[in-house]
Amino acid sequence: MASSKEFLSLIMERLSELPEVAFRPMMGEYVLYYRDKVIGGVYDDRFLVKPVAAAVSLMPDAAFELPYEGGKPMLMVRDVSDRAFLRKLVEATYDALPAAGEKK
């Protein structure tokens, strides 16, 4: 099932206070970028983020879910209504990721 544009719009609206948040459509889903780093995406109308230690510590009870068949597990963000939390989550995830093109 592809994600709806309405759910994507909701997530983008919730993240609108962050500079440089962008998305790219990919096979009916949407990859989310913050300052040119992939931080997660919208898959089957679910907001998923990369499972870096900082994100796990902010959401210790979050479920690990596959974005698509064959994909790597990501963290499911259940409550997308709290803008302050989402901002903190995206910034923490960004800070924990290597620079673009840099290997771990």
Side-chain angles (χ1 to χ4, degrees):
M1 169 180 111
S3 293
S4 69
K5 290 185 180 179
E6 292 79 18
F7 188 75
L8 172 66
S9 293
L10 171 75
I11 297 302
M12 294 304 290
E13 189 270 327
R14 296 285 195 266
L15 299 175
S16 63
E17 295 175 5
L18 286 166
E20 301 175 63
V21 172
F23 69 89
R24 288 196 183 135
M26 184 173 291
M27 299 179 349
E29 307 299 349
Y30 302 93
V31 178
L32 294 181
Y33 295 82
Y34 180 55
R35 296 183 177 163
D36 296 324
K37 289 184 188 178
V38 175
I39 54 100
V42 173
Y43 304 94
D44 296 328
D45 286 342
R46 301 169 298 159
F47 180 31
L48 305 177
V49 296
K50 290 196 169 198
V52 296
V56 172
S57 71
L58 289 171
M59 301 186 306
D61 298 325
F64 283 84
E65 297 194 9
L66 296 177
Y68 48 86
E69 192 172 324
K72 293 182 180 179
M74 299 177 83
L75 288 175
M76 168 82 166
V77 182
R78 292 228 181 262
D79 182 6
V80 296
S81 63
D82 185 343
R83 289 174 187 267
F85 173 76
L86 293 178
R87 179 182 187 122
K88 185 176 180 179
L89 176 64
V90 168
E91 289 175 335
T93 301
Y94 171 85
D95 289 342
L97 292 170
E102 190 178 296
K103 298 214 178 200
K104 290 183 185 180

